[in-house]
Amino acid sequence: MSLPLLPVLVDLFAYFCYAEKAIDLAFVIGVSGSNSPSNFVRMVTILKNIVDAYDVSVSMTHLALVDYNGLPANARVFFSQSYSKANFKIVAENIPGPGSRPGTLSDALKKVHDEVFTLQRGARPFAEDILVVMTEGDFDENSKPIIDEIAKLREKPVKIIVVAIMDEPDEDKLKIIASGDNLVVIPQPGEDKEEAKKVPFIAAQGWLII
């Protein structure tokens, strides 16, 4: 076997193993900067492409959604509601734009911990828990509320993948939020669909590494 082929085979093995797992997949999405409208459109497009890559069904992947376009953060879909891909994407497309009081990532993460990844809201004890945080990077990674909420999610454990729409990406900052250095995606304009397709693969690699 050619050595250059080995990483490819590892990726494929990880992905197909992961594809057979039950997954509780949640999204956190929010914008607040000057480019918010266009960035939010991109985020929703990426979210929909990520969802399309999973087997959303009763026995496999369940979906949840929290937005922080305003205060307080809003949990719009819970795992217990068993949304189809089509209905979930409709909800995402209809999230209102940023309000007069911008939301915070820490508030959204708290909502995810307290209300989404819970048995009462349909989180399954046997499922792999994944959170995709979609952000413009406009947060203080050293703030105590964010650090505390990230720590609580990791204790569950929830694997956190970061998808960032940023003019000047700060990968080190994003890695503080992500559950692994390989769990950060920074799409460039025109590459959103291709980058979204990577998420199930890096999620699978993360499962093997962590």
Side-chain angles (χ1 to χ4, degrees):
M1 180 187 301
S2 171
L3 285 178
L5 287 177
L6 187 58
V8 176
L9 293 176
V10 169
D11 285 352
L12 289 173
F13 174 76
Y15 175 70
F16 286 116
C17 286
Y18 210 62
E20 297 302 316
K21 291 178 67 69
I23 298 170
D24 285 340
L25 175 63
F27 292 85
V28 159
I29 183 169
V31 293
S32 61
S34 58
N35 296 322
S36 292
S38 59
N39 285 345
F40 194 68
V41 169
R42 288 183 63 193
M43 284 184 185
V44 171
T45 299
I46 292 168
L47 179 152
K48 293 192 294 182
N49 280 294
I50 293 172
V51 168
D52 280 338
Y54 283 89
D55 177 5
V56 177
S57 62
V58 172
S59 61
M60 300 302 289
T61 300
H62 290 187
L63 302 170
L65 176 62
V66 171
D67 84 85
Y68 61 104
N69 273 352
L71 285 174
N74 194 329
R76 297 187 177 274
V77 178
F78 295 100
F79 299 126
S80 58
Q81 295 173 296
S82 300
Y83 268 60
S84 66
K85 287 184 182 182
N87 289 339
F88 186 80
K89 288 188 285 187
I90 289 172
V91 173
E93 290 169 348
N94 286 281
I95 294 174
S100 57
R101 298 178 63 204
T104 64
L105 179 57
S106 59
D107 186 42
L109 294 173
K110 179 174 175 57
K111 180 79 68 173
V112 168
H113 176 271
D114 294 350
E115 299 184 25
V116 174
F117 282 105
T118 65
L119 296 178
Q120 294 87 344
R121 294 293 191 173
R124 297 167 293 174
F126 55 86
E128 181 80 8
D129 294 336
I130 299 176
L131 173 63
V132 178
V133 174
M134 310 192 76
T135 177
E136 292 176 306
D138 52 346
F139 58 84
D140 178 2
E141 70 278 16
N142 296 311
S143 73
K144 189 175 187 301
I146 285 182
I147 291 172
D148 289 348
E149 295 304 327
I150 291 294
K152 287 191 286 186
L153 285 166
R154 288 177 178 169
E155 285 174 7
K156 278 189 173 285
V158 175
K159 182 185 303 167
I160 303 172
I161 299 171
V162 178
V163 177
I165 306 295
M166 303 171 68
D167 293 331
E168 298 179 2
D170 184 345
E171 197 164 345
D172 289 337
K173 174 179 185 175
L174 302 173
K175 287 177 181 178
I176 292 174
I177 304 297
S179 296
D181 288 353
N182 61 324
L183 300 179
V184 173
V185 178
I186 308 174
Q188 298 302 309
E191 299 178 357
D192 292 348
K193 186 173 183 179
E194 291 72 19
E195 292 296 311
K197 291 178 180 178
K198 294 179 181 179
V199 169
F201 285 94
I202 66 171
Q205 293 171 344
W207 166 60
L208 290 174
I209 292 169
I210 293 173

